[in-house]
Amino acid sequence: MSLAATSVDLETASRELHALGLRLPEPVETLYGQALAAELVGLPDCLAIDDLLAISGQAPSRALHALLLLVYGRRSQGSLCLSLDPAGLAADLAPLAPDAADLATAIWRGLDQSEWGELVGDGLEPFRPLVRSEDGRFLYLRKYFLCERRLRERLAVLTGTTEHLVQPDPAALRELVREVGQFRAFRLNAAQSWGVYLALRRNLVVVTGGPGTGKTTLVTALLRALDRCGVRSDHIALVAPTGRAAQRLTEALRQGLSQAEEPADRLERLGTLEGTTIHRLLRFQARRGAFAFDEDFPLPQEAVIVDEVSMVDVALMERLLAAVRPGTLVVLLGDKDQLPSVEAGAVLAELIPRTGTTAFSPELAKELAELAPGVPVTEDASGALADRVVVLTESNRVAGAVYQVAQRVNAGDQMVVGELPVLPAGRPIPWPTDQAQCVRLAGAIREPAALTEVLDDWLLRHWLEPTDGPPLARLLHEGGEVLATTEEGDHPVLAEALNRLARASILTVLRRGPFGVEGLNQRLAERLRRRLDPGVGRSLLFAGAPVLVTRNTPGLGLFNGDLGLTVRLPDGRLVVLFRRGGEVVRVPAPLLPPHELAFALTVHKSQGSEYGNVLLVVPPVTGHRLLTREIVYTAITRSRGMVAIWSSPQVLAEAIGRRVQRSSALGLWDAASAAIGVQS
């Protein structure tokens, strides 16, 4: 039986609990059943709670069971802790019990009277699996309490050190920023210039902005400045959470350097820089479950630049900062409005001021105004990251209607749903690549079969017979011939075949079910397998199959999130092509690490990528916890061209009206946040 969390009714939940060997008193079993039905927890969480109670020897009560369900539920939804505010507790318990208010009172009484002292501690000593915050307002699983505290300490060390990578005088730095901010066809805008200047004046800087606001252009200018200051390129690390995001960072850097007026030797040095994953940089050792680089064996790099920080969870960020030496330049970049990490925490949201805008102290604003006018000033520059955050707002990538829709979604404007152009069922989708627009597809949204015409049209227009490229069958045949006769990896036929992966993508919210990744990939594979590789049977891989790597495998140079394309050689063997830096590499299919088909991806997996066009499939269910404005915004902003949304207007509007809620008490910006928690 699968232990994956699924939406179930109470009778089914009871059977599943019994199958796991969990026999609970009826009032308690009802709590668990309601928690499973509401998708607050999954069956693995129920087992973890049972193990915790057994190990602790704590006599459980209904209130304790309810508390543990909430703690694990918050963890599974990405929060670091559970807020113990009485009104909030009662609201959290409402879906689980009709007497939610009384149950919340019983929980508070149990905590105040230390009824559960074998499980809950008020500090790290003595050891307890659950820890209350110092002010008593939050309850953590011990692991996350430690992660949050250590992350706060790491940030304090970085912001408190007087060592800096670059230390020329401010006037010289401003002149340097003006030089490196000039490219052939454009120059940095004011906010980008401030970001480069801050990175040369501080050793920890955060840059946030939506798609196309020039985060990686800022990085390109910063790298040019560091090279001028004598920082060696092999002493600079460019990293991202996934292989795909690291590859996009490399591609963006190459594109930026192509626009830079630099001597050949400097371009050659900077051209050797390539993005890598955080796990690869820290040298994750699977057998130990730990990283080789840490506080005792720090990284040798003098500068660490991290892209797509919204995808980085608290535990990974803490380990990265633990491995950074004092005086190292750390630059964190990302879109604060994108989906937060799959694991616990919302690090990027915590790093940005509550206002979400750039503002500097009067002293720093005076420095920056001499570089570029229009500096926003705040008299209250308090907070651990004051004068270290730049918010970019001028977007160049997502244009026209798509950009406007994305901004309205981000603002929670549900009225935008009714104003989207509607494409009637049965009409071919006008998939353009030269203009940006966003439409909603009409039809029998609740019927999986109604997607068939849309999927067939998508395959034809983007894979099989695109109007702006050769048929995929011909590319695969020619690619197989090339692979059989040459070892070169940058052949134009292979590059063109791999470009199909960036032409378009289907994004969805769920993994399972007919509207999830598994169902969509199965349906698309059946159609394409018959057209491109008949006779192969129902094997997962076939000629033309896109592949998503799901586990880091440094020995092969493959990492979680890497996308590849399958090609059959003339002798019948299958190889999978991947892009690594500026080259195309091949991996024999039998050597592939764990992987899955990638016609359709979850929106989470698509982060760090961009596509010519996007088809967003929204499951026709109301109240699903994954349907939020962040997921809609992230999906829309993956597209450079058209976005077609398969959704009922009611479900789409509901998603736009709901935000991701993650609790934390990191408290980087104001004292109040440590008392009330941060809702990110």
Side-chain angles (χ1 to χ4, degrees), residues 7 12 26 37 109 138 161 212 221 236 315 437 453 468 519 585 612 641 661:
S7 182
T12 302
E26 186 169 331
R109 183 173 59 249
F138 299 94
T161 185
I236 300 172
Q437 58 178 310
E453 288 186 9
D468 56 349
V585 299
Q661 298 290 327

Side-chain angles (χ1 to χ4, degrees), residues 165-459:
L165 179 58
V166 177
Q167 295 183 320
D169 67 88
L173 284 184
R174 285 192 289 271
E175 183 58 34
L176 176 59
V177 173
R178 293 188 188 99
E179 289 179 14
V180 300
Q182 183 64 54
F183 292 79
R184 286 195 180 93
F186 60 91
R187 64 176 300 111
L188 296 183
N189 61 36
Q192 289 172 312
S193 297
W194 301 334
V196 175
Y197 181 82
L198 280 182
L200 298 172
R201 288 278 282 151
R202 303 284 194 270
N203 62 343
L204 174 64
V205 175
V206 181
V207 179
T208 183
T213 52
K215 296 185 291 294
T216 48
T217 301
L218 184 157
V219 170
T220 305
L222 174 59
L223 293 173
R224 296 170 68 189
L226 292 176
D227 185 82
R228 281 169 163 78
C229 293
V231 180
R232 291 168 42 183
S233 58
D234 60 346
H235 285 190
I236 300 172
L238 301 179
V239 296
T242 67
R244 178 57 181 157
Q247 180 180 315
R248 285 286 308 136
L249 180 58
T250 302
E251 293 168 356
L253 173 60
R254 299 272 196 277
Q255 185 176 3
L257 290 175
S258 70
Q259 292 291 318
E261 294 282 2
E262 295 283 7
D265 60 335
R266 183 168 290 149
L267 286 176
E268 184 177 355
R269 286 195 300 270
L270 294 175
T272 62
L273 285 165
E274 290 191 0
T276 188
T277 64
I278 298 174
H279 281 76
R280 190 176 187 186
L281 174 70
L282 299 180
R283 294 186 187 173
F284 181 69
Q285 299 173 332
R287 290 184 178 180
R288 292 176 54 225
F291 297 103
F293 289 106
D294 57 19
E295 51 267 70
D296 298 320
F297 184 46
L299 291 164
Q301 280 81 4
E302 298 177 275
V304 177
I305 300 172
V306 190
D307 198 16
E308 298 291 350
V309 174
S310 64
M311 301 166 65
V312 182
D313 62 88
V314 166
L316 185 56
M317 180 60 73
E318 188 276 325
R319 287 291 83 200
L320 175 61
L321 298 186
V324 170
R325 295 179 299 168
T328 298
L329 169 62
V330 177
V331 180
L332 307 176
L333 305 105
D335 184 348
K336 63 182 176 59
D337 298 314
Q338 278 193 165
L339 281 167
S341 60
V342 175
E343 299 298 330
V347 173
L348 184 58
E350 298 275 15
L351 298 175
I352 308 303
R354 300 289 170 261
T355 60
T357 58
T358 299
F360 303 107
S361 65
E363 296 79 10
L364 180 60
K366 185 177 179 180
E367 284 186 47
L368 295 175
E370 296 185 37
L371 178 63
V375 185
V377 182
T378 177
E379 294 300 327
D380 179 18
S382 61
L385 298 180
D387 285 346
R388 296 173 182 273
V389 178
V390 175
V391 180
L392 306 179
T393 56
E394 297 181 27
S395 179
N396 299 307
R397 190 187 95 193
V398 181
V402 173
Y403 178 74
Q404 296 299 325
V405 170
Q407 294 301 101
R408 293 179 65 180
V409 167
N410 191 35
D413 183 0
Q414 296 170 294
M415 299 295 292
V416 70
V417 176
E419 299 172 20
L420 291 176
V422 178
L423 193 64
R427 181 181 298 179
I429 301 173
W431 290 113
T433 56
D434 57 349
Q435 67 182 74
Q437 58 178 310
C438 187
V439 303
R440 187 176 64 80
L441 305 180
I445 300 298
R446 290 187 174 275
E447 299 299 325
L451 259 179
T452 300
E453 288 186 9
V454 175
L455 297 178
D456 286 345
D457 179 63
W458 183 90
L459 279 175

